[in-house]
Amino acid sequence: MKKRGCSLKSYKKKCMQDLKDALSEAQDSQNNQGGKIDAVSNRHARRKIQEVSEHANKALEFLSTYGLVAESLKVHTTSGKTFYIPFSDDAASENEDTVDLRVLYILDRYGVSDAFYHELAMLFSELPRSRAVKKARTDLNHTMQLTRIPGHEGAYRSFERSLCEQLSTMIAQDATSFQPNQKIKVRISGDGAKFSRTSSFVLLSYAILMPVGRYLSGIGNHTIAVVKGAEDYDTISTAFAATFQEIDGLQQLGFVAVNGVSYNIELFFSSDMKFMLTMLGLNAANSIYACPKCIVHRDCRWDVSKPESYYSTTMARTLVTLRRAFASHGRTAAVHQGSVNRPLTAIPVDHMMIDELHLFLRIFDVMLRNLIKMSEPHTQQLVAYIRSCGVSFNIWESESSDGKVEWTSLTGEAKKRF
C-alpha cells in the first residue's frame, strides 16, 4: 500500500508539472516574439495588432458572465501612437484588408501574376496584402458555379440558373417591364473565335431581348459555355451537350420561376451562317442544299419569280423534316437535302436567325471583289476615287508567282464610309 501511495503521489506530481509546463508554454505563445510595434513596418504592425486583438479577446471572455460585451480596446505605444483594437466581428471585418473589385479586374486584365503583386505589396504597405487579394478572387469565383467540360478544355455554367439571376436583377430595376403573362424573349448565340494561329475557341452566350437588358452592348450578353477546339459538329455536339439539354428542357417547359413567380419565355438562336448550319446538322454553305430555312436548290436561289410565302411554307425546313432527312442520309443529296447530322437543339427552325452583320460583311466583301475585277483597266482611278472618300486603300499584285491581285482589308468605320 505504501508503494502504491508513493506511485500515485509521484503521478500527481508529474501531472501538475505537465500542466505548469503547458500553461507556461501558452503564456510564452502570447508574448511578443519580435520587435515592438514602433520598430516594425506598417504591415508587421497591423499583424501584431491582430495578434493582440486575438489574445485580448480571449482574456476578456469572462465578461460574458457579467452580461458585458467588449467592443474595442484602446492602447498606445511608448511613443504616444494610439490604436483602437476592435473585438466585434463587424469591426474586425473593417480592420481586415478590403480588396476593391477594380483591383482584381486590373490584375486579371493585364495578366499580373500573384508573385509579382506580392513583391509589389511588400514595397508599398498601402496596397492590400496578396493573401487578401487571393481570398477576394476565390470568394468571387465561388459566386459563379462553373463545371468543367469532360474530355475538353472548357467550362460551362447552368443556363437556367444564370437566366433566373439576370431576370431577378432586371425585375428589381424595372418591375413594370416584366409581367407574368407576357413572353420574355431570350436570344442564344454561338460563334467561334480564333485567338492565335494554333488555338480557337467556341462560345455560347445569351441575351434577354428587353430594353432594360441592354442586349446590344457587351454588358447585356452573358457567356454560358466556352471550349477550346475547332468550330465543327463533333466539338460543338459533345462539348455543349449538357447546355443543349438544359436549353431543350426550357424550350419544352416554356417558363422559368423567378422569386416564386413564373414568367413565360421564348427562345431564339442567332449565329453566322457556318455555326447555324452546324446547329441544324446541315452541310457546308457551298453545298447543293445549304439554305438553313428552306430546301431550295443552289441553282434556283436566284429565282425571284416565286412568291415569298413559297419558300416559307412549301419549301420551309422544320425540325421534323430535318430529322427525317437525316434518317435517309447516305442516299442522294436530293433525298437527304443536305442533312448530314442530327439537329443539336429543339429550338424551332423559324426561331433560328442568321446574324445580319455577318451577312452584310460578306456581301460587302463580294461586291468589293467584283468591283475591283470589273475595273481592272482603271485600277488606279478606282483607288484614287476610294481614297477621296477618306478611306486608306490600295491594290497590288501578290509577290507570289501567280500574280494574284490583293487589296487593303477594310474594317470598322472604313467599311461604313466606303
Side-chain angles (χ1 to χ4, degrees):
M1 285 295 296
K2 188 176 181 180
K3 187 175 182 179
R4 285 189 60 187
C6 293
S7 178
L8 182 59
K9 186 177 180 180
S10 61
Y11 175 74
K12 290 181 178 180
K13 185 178 180 180
K14 184 177 183 304
C15 290
M16 291 297 297
Q17 185 61 41
D18 291 343
L19 180 59
K20 289 180 181 180
D21 293 341
L23 293 174
S24 177
E25 184 178 350
Q27 182 66 31
D28 292 339
S29 65
Q30 295 182 5
N31 292 334
N32 184 20
Q33 301 298 323
K36 295 183 178 181
I37 288 181
D38 286 337
V40 298
S41 64
N42 291 337
R43 181 178 299 279
H44 289 165
R46 290 198 301 267
R47 189 177 301 170
K48 288 182 177 294
I49 289 296
Q50 182 63 28
E51 293 176 358
V52 172
S53 175
E54 294 174 357
H55 296 326
N57 197 13
K58 189 174 182 179
L60 295 176
E61 287 180 351
F62 72 92
L63 291 177
S64 60
T65 61
Y66 292 90
L68 302 174
V69 177
E71 292 185 354
S72 64
L73 176 67
K74 179 180 177 182
V75 296
H76 62 85
T77 64
T78 55
S79 62
K81 190 174 183 179
T82 303
F83 292 93
Y84 289 91
I85 303 176
F87 288 149
S88 63
D89 293 339
D90 295 338
S93 62
E94 295 177 0
N95 192 50
E96 289 291 325
D97 284 331
T98 57
V99 181
D100 195 322
L101 293 181
R102 290 174 294 183
V103 175
L104 293 181
Y105 171 77
I106 294 174
L107 296 178
D108 182 67
R109 173 67 177 81
Y110 296 99
V112 180
S113 65
D114 290 339
F116 177 83
Y117 181 80
H118 175 73
E119 296 297 329
L120 190 66
M122 293 294 291
L123 295 176
F124 301 96
S125 59
E126 61 270 17
L127 290 175
R129 287 172 286 184
S130 58
R131 64 178 180 85
V133 171
K134 293 178 182 178
K135 182 179 182 301
R137 185 189 296 118
T138 302
D139 294 341
L140 184 62
N141 290 337
H142 286 165
T143 61
M144 181 180 296
Q145 297 182 359
L146 297 178
T147 305
R148 291 186 179 275
I149 297 177
H152 295 273
E153 293 183 57
Y156 70 94
R157 58 173 172 162
S158 171
F159 170 54
E160 182 178 3
R161 185 183 297 112
S162 176
L163 178 61
C164 292
E165 291 174 355
Q166 294 301 324
L167 284 175
S168 178
T169 302
M170 293 167 61
I171 292 171
Q173 295 174 353
D174 185 10
T176 59
S177 298
F178 298 87
Q179 300 299 327
N181 57 348
Q182 76 176 100
K183 280 191 175 182
I184 300 175
K185 297 180 179 181
V186 181
R187 181 196 64 200
I188 303 169
S189 303
D191 197 9
K194 194 173 182 63
F195 280 76
S196 67
R197 186 176 59 85
T198 58
S199 64
S200 299
F201 289 83
V202 185
L203 302 95
L204 285 181
S205 61
Y206 76 92
I208 300 172
L209 305 183
M210 299 287 286
V212 71
R214 292 177 288 183
Y215 58 90
L216 294 179
S217 64
I219 197 172
N221 289 266
H222 314 281
T223 303
I224 52 177
V226 59
V227 65
K228 182 179 180 181
E231 186 183 345
D232 54 29
Y233 186 87
D234 291 338
T235 302
I236 296 173
S237 61
T238 57
F240 299 149
T243 303
F244 291 148
Q245 185 177 2
E246 196 172 10
I247 292 174
D248 292 348
L250 285 179
Q251 172 65 31
Q252 184 177 3
L253 195 61
F255 69 90
V256 292
V258 181
N259 300 328
V261 181
S262 296
Y263 293 90
N264 298 324
I265 60 171
E266 187 175 6
L267 299 181
F268 295 83
F269 189 88
S270 174
S271 69
D272 59 13
M273 187 73 165
K274 179 182 178 181
F275 205 100
M276 181 66 67
L277 294 175
T278 304
M279 290 292 297
L280 294 174
L282 296 174
N283 221 329
N286 59 354
S287 60
I288 298 176
Y289 296 93
C291 180
K293 293 292 186 178
C294 66
I295 55 174
V296 62
H297 194 281
R298 68 180 175 188
D299 294 336
C300 300
R301 294 177 188 170
W302 57 269
D303 186 4
V304 293
S305 63
K306 302 287 193 303
E308 185 177 354
S309 59
Y310 174 74
Y311 297 101
S312 60
T313 55
T314 306
M315 303 281 286
R317 292 186 188 272
T318 63
L319 290 177
V320 175
T321 59
L322 285 170
R323 291 164 181 159
R324 187 187 303 127
F326 169 69
S328 62
H329 181 63
R331 305 179 186 178
T332 62
V335 177
H336 65 70
Q337 299 168 339
S339 294
V340 294
N341 292 297
R342 188 181 300 277
L344 293 177
T345 69
I347 298 177
V349 178
D350 59 358
H351 279 53
M352 304 189 76
M353 309 298 177
I354 299 292
D355 185 4
E356 293 181 354
L357 175 63
H358 289 82
L359 290 180
F360 290 153
L361 292 176
R362 180 58 181 160
I363 291 172
F364 177 89
D365 293 338
V366 173
M367 292 179 67
L368 178 59
R369 182 186 62 195
N370 293 341
L371 179 61
I372 293 173
K373 185 176 181 180
M374 292 170 59
S375 60
E376 284 182 354
H378 312 284
T379 302
Q380 295 304 319
Q381 289 89 331
L382 176 64
V383 172
Y385 186 78
I386 295 176
R387 288 178 177 176
S388 68
C389 300
V391 177
S392 178
F393 188 77
N394 200 5
I395 301 175
W396 66 92
E397 288 189 1
S398 174
E399 296 180 356
S400 59
S401 58
D402 57 2
K404 185 179 179 181
V405 177
E406 297 180 354
W407 53 89
T408 305
S409 177
L410 302 180
T411 58
E413 290 298 326
K415 279 191 174 182
K416 292 181 181 179
R417 185 172 299 178
F418 183 79

